[in-house]
Amino acid sequence: MTDADSAAAGADELVFKMGEFGAAFPTDRRYAKNHMWAQGEGPVVRVGFTAYAVRLLQDVYFLEWTVDPRTAVVYRQEIGSIESKKAESALYAPAAGRIVRFNERLLDDPSGINVDKYDSGWLFEIETDGVGLLEPTEYLAHLDDVWEVTQRTIKGQANA
């Protein structure tokens, strides 16, 4: 068995094995290589962090946006930053489009990301054509491709 377990864990989710832990991914949304999910009908989608990202970050305690609502963004444009127990990181747009709004509750208490990542812990809404977003099985294949490097990075051995 590989680290990626693409067999359905349930009728509506897939699981990626992160060592002894599994990260579940609902199949009702698309995913970005920067470990965000996108869900919605029409051009406006809601975006949040995947279980994979939340597992790596652990205990998010600071979230800041560097763009305003209604701002046009390009794919991979820096749009904010996040701090957690494990990392400080810039946040990048998962697709080109226009930021519609941010989840204001998370600015006051970003711990909601840890508690309910696939529902109330969403980050922002973006109007986009979704070019570049992956289907759930494509995202699992991406995770399988990057997992070895991720493990070395986690262990501080990225250049070993």
Side-chain angles (χ1 to χ4, degrees), residues 4 8 20 30 32 39 51 59 77 81 84 88 93 95 108 117 128 134:
E20 62 187 77
R30 293 178 292 162
Q39 179 186 38
D59 300 328
Q77 176 180 334
S81 62
S84 72
E88 288 181 33
D108 296 329
K117 64 196 138 294
T128 182
L134 307 172

Side-chain angles (χ1 to χ4, degrees), residues 106-123:
L106 292 184
L107 292 174
D108 296 329
D109 181 12
S111 68
I113 293 167
N114 307 315
V115 176
D116 197 9
K117 64 196 138 294
Y118 290 118
D119 193 18
S120 63
W122 61 275
L123 300 169

Side-chain angles (χ1 to χ4, degrees), residues 80-106:
S81 62
I82 192 165
E83 291 182 32
S84 72
K85 178 179 178 181
K86 293 282 187 177
E88 288 181 33
S89 182
L91 297 175
Y92 300 93
R98 183 180 56 85
I99 300 291
V100 175
R101 69 181 178 128
F102 295 104
N103 185 345
E104 295 295 328
R105 289 186 305 190
L106 292 184

Side-chain angles (χ1 to χ4, degrees), residues 4-6 14-16 25 135-144:
D5 179 4
S6 58
L14 301 174
V15 174
F16 180 78
F25 303 95
E135 294 300 321
T137 55
E138 294 171 316
Y139 181 60
L140 284 175
H142 167 68
L143 292 179
D144 198 37

Side-chain angles (χ1 to χ4, degrees), residues 72-79 92-97:
V73 296
V74 297
Y75 172 63
R76 296 189 60 157
Q77 176 180 334
E78 188 171 328
I79 59 173
Y92 300 93

